[in-house]
Amino acid sequence: MMVRIHMKFILFIASMLSSIGLFSSCSNNYQPKTDKKFEFRNMTEANQDIPNTNDTLEIATLGAGCFWCVEAVFQSLKGVYKVQSGYSGGNVKNPSYKEVCTGRTGHVEVVQVTFNPQVISFAQLLEVFFGTHDPTTLNRQGADEGTQYRSAIFYHSDEQKRLGELAIKAANESGNWSDPIVTEVTAFSNFYPAEDYHDNYYNLNEEQPYCRAVITPKMDKFKKKFAELLK
């Protein structure tokens, strides 16, 4: 029987591989088909009928691979007040990280983003979402493989659903990807916070081999690409 090895569990291997430049995960080596920035937020249709929220905060729940990477990205955005790593979309209550990593719980590693739509819109969050992971690989991001790493938007309102579907259409038409987008757009049903040691993971463990080899290069690219959205 084949045993699936998860790189995040075997960090000493990560250290060895990173030292010789071979360690790759969390889509670190992913390169889009073109260098053109996917600017969904600039589409007129994406921004229509957005209500006056009077600074009421909203929540977005997004899965884009390893939540250590995704958390670090969304924490850096202006208008974002909280980013919580956790698990969504599955049928197991209060799952552990170990259970989710088996790929048998149905859950996705997600981040739940609390944001001010007066400062950053859901459409802009989706631009960052599609610009920082590969939405064309089914149940995989780089070397991280399994249903828990699938690309997913769990919408909290009809408007989020509409914008999610519109973003996928725009992404498919952008020419940035050779393959079709496989991101799922699903109604939000549950969220279970991840264990405490996952919180603020990159900022607290920046020198850890996985972070140095995978997340730091990804963050460097992200900050250059989305400089106008950073805090």
Side-chain angles (χ1 to χ4, degrees), residues 86-88 90-100 105 107 190-195:
Y87 317 112
S88 283
N91 51 22
V92 175
K93 293 183 178 180
N94 299 309
S96 67
Y97 180 61
K98 184 176 181 180
E99 288 174 320
V100 172
T105 66
H107 285 294
N190 52 45
F191 175 78
Y192 300 100
E195 294 83 346

PDB file of all heavy atoms in Angstrom, residues 86-88 90-100 105 107 190-195:
ATOM      1  N   GLY A  86      -7.735  27.375   8.896  1.00  0.00           N
ATOM      2  CA  GLY A  86      -8.652  26.349   9.377  1.00  0.00           C
ATOM      3  C   GLY A  86      -9.064  25.398   8.276  1.00  0.00           C
ATOM      4  O   GLY A  86      -8.393  25.291   7.230  1.00  0.00           O
ATOM      5  N   TYR A  87     -10.184  24.733   8.521  1.00  0.00           N
ATOM      6  CA  TYR A  87     -10.645  23.671   7.635  1.00  0.00           C
ATOM      7  C   TYR A  87     -12.120  23.900   7.302  1.00  0.00           C
ATOM      8  O   TYR A  87     -12.935  24.171   8.190  1.00  0.00           O
ATOM      9  CB  TYR A  87     -10.468  22.310   8.310  1.00  0.00           C
ATOM     10  CG  TYR A  87      -9.137  22.168   9.016  1.00  0.00           C
ATOM     11  CD1 TYR A  87      -9.062  22.097  10.411  1.00  0.00           C
ATOM     12  CD2 TYR A  87      -7.945  22.129   8.295  1.00  0.00           C
ATOM     13  CE1 TYR A  87      -7.840  21.982  11.068  1.00  0.00           C
ATOM     14  CE2 TYR A  87      -6.720  22.013   8.939  1.00  0.00           C
ATOM     15  CZ  TYR A  87      -6.668  21.940  10.325  1.00  0.00           C
ATOM     16  OH  TYR A  87      -5.456  21.846  10.961  1.00  0.00           O
ATOM     17  N   SER A  88     -12.462  23.771   6.018  1.00  0.00           N
ATOM     18  CA  SER A  88     -13.839  23.982   5.569  1.00  0.00           C
ATOM     19  C   SER A  88     -14.214  22.973   4.493  1.00  0.00           C
ATOM     20  O   SER A  88     -13.354  22.430   3.795  1.00  0.00           O
ATOM     21  CB  SER A  88     -14.020  25.398   4.986  1.00  0.00           C
ATOM     22  OG  SER A  88     -14.108  26.370   5.984  1.00  0.00           O
ATOM     23  N   GLY A  90     -15.748  20.011   4.588  1.00  0.00           N
ATOM     24  CA  GLY A  90     -15.786  18.569   4.789  1.00  0.00           C
ATOM     25  C   GLY A  90     -16.939  18.117   5.661  1.00  0.00           C
ATOM     26  O   GLY A  90     -17.821  18.900   6.035  1.00  0.00           O
ATOM     27  N   ASN A  91     -16.935  16.840   6.016  1.00  0.00           N
ATOM     28  CA  ASN A  91     -18.027  16.252   6.783  1.00  0.00           C
ATOM     29  C   ASN A  91     -17.588  15.703   8.135  1.00  0.00           C
ATOM     30  O   ASN A  91     -18.327  14.975   8.780  1.00  0.00           O
ATOM     31  CB  ASN A  91     -18.690  15.122   5.964  1.00  0.00           C
ATOM     32  CG  ASN A  91     -17.672  14.128   5.422  1.00  0.00           C
ATOM     33  OD1 ASN A  91     -16.566  14.025   5.951  1.00  0.00           O
ATOM     34  ND2 ASN A  91     -18.048  13.422   4.383  1.00  0.00           N
ATOM     35  N   VAL A  92     -16.376  16.062   8.568  1.00  0.00           N
ATOM     36  CA  VAL A  92     -15.875  15.630   9.872  1.00  0.00           C
ATOM     37  C   VAL A  92     -15.855  16.838  10.799  1.00  0.00           C
ATOM     38  O   VAL A  92     -15.268  17.880  10.460  1.00  0.00           O
ATOM     39  CB  VAL A  92     -14.455  15.036   9.750  1.00  0.00           C
ATOM     40  CG1 VAL A  92     -13.892  14.705  11.130  1.00  0.00           C
ATOM     41  CG2 VAL A  92     -14.481  13.796   8.870  1.00  0.00           C
ATOM     42  N   LYS A  93     -16.485  16.726  11.963  1.00  0.00           N
ATOM     43  CA  LYS A  93     -16.530  17.835  12.902  1.00  0.00           C
ATOM     44  C   LYS A  93     -15.206  17.951  13.661  1.00  0.00           C
ATOM     45  O   LYS A  93     -14.612  16.951  14.056  1.00  0.00           O
ATOM     46  CB  LYS A  93     -17.677  17.643  13.894  1.00  0.00           C
ATOM     47  CG  LYS A  93     -19.060  17.735  13.264  1.00  0.00           C
ATOM     48  CD  LYS A  93     -20.151  17.605  14.317  1.00  0.00           C
ATOM     49  CE  LYS A  93     -21.531  17.736  13.684  1.00  0.00           C
ATOM     50  NZ  LYS A  93     -22.614  17.611  14.704  1.00  0.00           N
ATOM     51  N   ASN A  94     -14.778  19.195  13.821  1.00  0.00           N
ATOM     52  CA  ASN A  94     -13.556  19.489  14.587  1.00  0.00           C
ATOM     53  C   ASN A  94     -12.376  18.593  14.201  1.00  0.00           C
ATOM     54  O   ASN A  94     -11.767  17.928  15.051  1.00  0.00           O
ATOM     55  CB  ASN A  94     -13.839  19.349  16.087  1.00  0.00           C
ATOM     56  CG  ASN A  94     -14.903  20.322  16.560  1.00  0.00           C
ATOM     57  OD1 ASN A  94     -14.818  21.516  16.294  1.00  0.00           O
ATOM     58  ND2 ASN A  94     -15.907  19.806  17.247  1.00  0.00           N
ATOM     59  N   PRO A  95     -12.036  18.559  12.935  1.00  0.00           N
ATOM     60  CA  PRO A  95     -10.944  17.677  12.504  1.00  0.00           C
ATOM     61  C   PRO A  95      -9.593  18.188  12.995  1.00  0.00           C
ATOM     62  O   PRO A  95      -9.399  19.381  13.236  1.00  0.00           O
ATOM     63  CB  PRO A  95     -11.025  17.760  10.977  1.00  0.00           C
ATOM     64  CG  PRO A  95     -11.517  19.158  10.732  1.00  0.00           C
ATOM     65  CD  PRO A  95     -12.520  19.412  11.825  1.00  0.00           C
ATOM     66  N   SER A  96      -8.668  17.280  13.127  1.00  0.00           N
ATOM     67  CA  SER A  96      -7.295  17.663  13.445  1.00  0.00           C
ATOM     68  C   SER A  96      -6.529  17.855  12.130  1.00  0.00           C
ATOM     69  O   SER A  96      -6.951  17.408  11.064  1.00  0.00           O
ATOM     70  CB  SER A  96      -6.610  16.563  14.260  1.00  0.00           C
ATOM     71  OG  SER A  96      -6.428  15.390  13.472  1.00  0.00           O
ATOM     72  N   TYR A  97      -5.394  18.513  12.239  1.00  0.00           N
ATOM     73  CA  TYR A  97      -4.537  18.699  11.066  1.00  0.00           C
ATOM     74  C   TYR A  97      -4.118  17.351  10.484  1.00  0.00           C
ATOM     75  O   TYR A  97      -4.124  17.153   9.260  1.00  0.00           O
ATOM     76  CB  TYR A  97      -3.311  19.509  11.484  1.00  0.00           C
ATOM     77  CG  TYR A  97      -2.320  19.782  10.385  1.00  0.00           C
ATOM     78  CD1 TYR A  97      -2.675  20.492   9.254  1.00  0.00           C
ATOM     79  CD2 TYR A  97      -0.999  19.348  10.508  1.00  0.00           C
ATOM     80  CE1 TYR A  97      -1.755  20.763   8.256  1.00  0.00           C
ATOM     81  CE2 TYR A  97      -0.072  19.621   9.521  1.00  0.00           C
ATOM     82  CZ  TYR A  97      -0.446  20.324   8.399  1.00  0.00           C
ATOM     83  OH  TYR A  97       0.467  20.590   7.415  1.00  0.00           O
ATOM     84  N   LYS A  98      -3.792  16.422  11.371  1.00  0.00           N
ATOM     85  CA  LYS A  98      -3.392  15.097  10.915  1.00  0.00           C
ATOM     86  C   LYS A  98      -4.510  14.421  10.143  1.00  0.00           C
ATOM     87  O   LYS A  98      -4.272  13.785   9.108  1.00  0.00           O
ATOM     88  CB  LYS A  98      -2.978  14.238  12.110  1.00  0.00           C
ATOM     89  CG  LYS A  98      -2.456  12.857  11.746  1.00  0.00           C
ATOM     90  CD  LYS A  98      -1.983  12.111  12.982  1.00  0.00           C
ATOM     91  CE  LYS A  98      -1.445  10.735  12.622  1.00  0.00           C
ATOM     92  NZ  LYS A  98      -0.976   9.994  13.836  1.00  0.00           N
ATOM     93  N   GLU A  99      -5.745  14.557  10.609  1.00  0.00           N
ATOM     94  CA  GLU A  99      -6.888  13.954   9.914  1.00  0.00           C
ATOM     95  C   GLU A  99      -7.101  14.602   8.552  1.00  0.00           C
ATOM     96  O   GLU A  99      -7.347  13.913   7.551  1.00  0.00           O
ATOM     97  CB  GLU A  99      -8.151  14.093  10.767  1.00  0.00           C
ATOM     98  CG  GLU A  99      -8.178  13.207  11.988  1.00  0.00           C
ATOM     99  CD  GLU A  99      -9.381  13.480  12.869  1.00  0.00           C
ATOM    100  OE1 GLU A  99      -9.740  14.672  13.045  1.00  0.00           O
ATOM    101  OE2 GLU A  99      -9.966  12.508  13.387  1.00  0.00           O
ATOM    102  N   VAL A 100      -7.020  15.923   8.507  1.00  0.00           N
ATOM    103  CA  VAL A 100      -7.226  16.624   7.241  1.00  0.00           C
ATOM    104  C   VAL A 100      -6.164  16.228   6.227  1.00  0.00           C
ATOM    105  O   VAL A 100      -6.441  16.072   5.023  1.00  0.00           O
ATOM    106  CB  VAL A 100      -7.237  18.147   7.469  1.00  0.00           C
ATOM    107  CG1 VAL A 100      -7.258  18.897   6.135  1.00  0.00           C
ATOM    108  CG2 VAL A 100      -8.449  18.552   8.306  1.00  0.00           C
ATOM    109  N   THR A 105     -11.212  13.620   4.924  1.00  0.00           N
ATOM    110  CA  THR A 105     -12.242  14.331   5.692  1.00  0.00           C
ATOM    111  C   THR A 105     -13.150  15.174   4.810  1.00  0.00           C
ATOM    112  O   THR A 105     -14.204  15.614   5.247  1.00  0.00           O
ATOM    113  CB  THR A 105     -11.594  15.272   6.730  1.00  0.00           C
ATOM    114  OG1 THR A 105     -10.878  16.313   6.035  1.00  0.00           O
ATOM    115  CG2 THR A 105     -10.656  14.516   7.653  1.00  0.00           C
ATOM    116  N   HIS A 107     -12.389  18.060   3.935  1.00  0.00           N
ATOM    117  CA  HIS A 107     -12.078  19.456   4.244  1.00  0.00           C
ATOM    118  C   HIS A 107     -10.961  19.994   3.353  1.00  0.00           C
ATOM    119  O   HIS A 107     -10.136  19.238   2.830  1.00  0.00           O
ATOM    120  CB  HIS A 107     -11.653  19.601   5.701  1.00  0.00           C
ATOM    121  CG  HIS A 107     -12.785  19.522   6.674  1.00  0.00           C
ATOM    122  ND1 HIS A 107     -13.779  20.476   6.740  1.00  0.00           N
ATOM    123  CD2 HIS A 107     -13.096  18.599   7.621  1.00  0.00           C
ATOM    124  CE1 HIS A 107     -14.636  20.149   7.684  1.00  0.00           C
ATOM    125  NE2 HIS A 107     -14.252  19.008   8.233  1.00  0.00           N
ATOM    126  N   ASN A 190     -19.215  25.299   6.876  1.00  0.00           N
ATOM    127  CA  ASN A 190     -18.562  25.101   8.170  1.00  0.00           C
ATOM    128  C   ASN A 190     -17.145  25.637   8.132  1.00  0.00           C
ATOM    129  O   ASN A 190     -16.544  25.790   7.068  1.00  0.00           O
ATOM    130  CB  ASN A 190     -18.554  23.622   8.567  1.00  0.00           C
ATOM    131  CG  ASN A 190     -17.998  22.718   7.467  1.00  0.00           C
ATOM    132  OD1 ASN A 190     -16.976  23.018   6.860  1.00  0.00           O
ATOM    133  ND2 ASN A 190     -18.665  21.609   7.203  1.00  0.00           N
ATOM    134  N   PHE A 191     -16.639  25.944   9.305  1.00  0.00           N
ATOM    135  CA  PHE A 191     -15.247  26.360   9.445  1.00  0.00           C
ATOM    136  C   PHE A 191     -14.763  25.922  10.818  1.00  0.00           C
ATOM    137  O   PHE A 191     -15.395  26.230  11.840  1.00  0.00           O
ATOM    138  CB  PHE A 191     -15.093  27.869   9.316  1.00  0.00           C
ATOM    139  CG  PHE A 191     -13.685  28.347   9.581  1.00  0.00           C
ATOM    140  CD1 PHE A 191     -12.702  28.218   8.618  1.00  0.00           C
ATOM    141  CD2 PHE A 191     -13.340  28.917  10.806  1.00  0.00           C
ATOM    142  CE1 PHE A 191     -11.386  28.636   8.860  1.00  0.00           C
ATOM    143  CE2 PHE A 191     -12.045  29.343  11.056  1.00  0.00           C
ATOM    144  CZ  PHE A 191     -11.076  29.199  10.081  1.00  0.00           C
ATOM    145  N   TYR A 192     -13.652  25.198  10.838  1.00  0.00           N
ATOM    146  CA  TYR A 192     -13.048  24.749  12.082  1.00  0.00           C
ATOM    147  C   TYR A 192     -11.639  25.334  12.161  1.00  0.00           C
ATOM    148  O   TYR A 192     -10.794  25.024  11.310  1.00  0.00           O
ATOM    149  CB  TYR A 192     -12.998  23.229  12.144  1.00  0.00           C
ATOM    150  CG  TYR A 192     -14.366  22.585  12.059  1.00  0.00           C
ATOM    151  CD1 TYR A 192     -14.831  22.043  10.859  1.00  0.00           C
ATOM    152  CD2 TYR A 192     -15.208  22.552  13.172  1.00  0.00           C
ATOM    153  CE1 TYR A 192     -16.094  21.467  10.769  1.00  0.00           C
ATOM    154  CE2 TYR A 192     -16.469  21.978  13.093  1.00  0.00           C
ATOM    155  CZ  TYR A 192     -16.910  21.441  11.893  1.00  0.00           C
ATOM    156  OH  TYR A 192     -18.161  20.887  11.813  1.00  0.00           O
ATOM    157  N   PRO A 193     -11.374  26.198  13.153  1.00  0.00           N
ATOM    158  CA  PRO A 193     -10.040  26.788  13.256  1.00  0.00           C
ATOM    159  C   PRO A 193      -8.965  25.711  13.396  1.00  0.00           C
ATOM    160  O   PRO A 193      -9.161  24.691  14.052  1.00  0.00           O
ATOM    161  CB  PRO A 193     -10.134  27.632  14.537  1.00  0.00           C
ATOM    162  CG  PRO A 193     -11.590  27.916  14.693  1.00  0.00           C
ATOM    163  CD  PRO A 193     -12.288  26.686  14.192  1.00  0.00           C
ATOM    164  N   ALA A 194      -7.833  25.968  12.765  1.00  0.00           N
ATOM    165  CA  ALA A 194      -6.701  25.046  12.874  1.00  0.00           C
ATOM    166  C   ALA A 194      -6.079  25.169  14.267  1.00  0.00           C
ATOM    167  O   ALA A 194      -6.358  26.108  15.021  1.00  0.00           O
ATOM    168  CB  ALA A 194      -5.664  25.360  11.806  1.00  0.00           C
ATOM    169  N   GLU A 195      -5.242  24.224  14.597  1.00  0.00           N
ATOM    170  CA  GLU A 195      -4.557  24.218  15.879  1.00  0.00           C
ATOM    171  C   GLU A 195      -3.742  25.506  16.052  1.00  0.00           C
ATOM    172  O   GLU A 195      -3.296  26.116  15.078  1.00  0.00           O
ATOM    173  CB  GLU A 195      -3.636  23.007  15.972  1.00  0.00           C
ATOM    174  CG  GLU A 195      -4.368  21.654  16.007  1.00  0.00           C
ATOM    175  CD  GLU A 195      -4.766  21.122  14.632  1.00  0.00           C
ATOM    176  OE1 GLU A 195      -4.729  21.888  13.639  1.00  0.00           O
ATOM    177  OE2 GLU A 195      -5.099  19.936  14.549  1.00  0.00           O
TER     178      GLU A 195
END
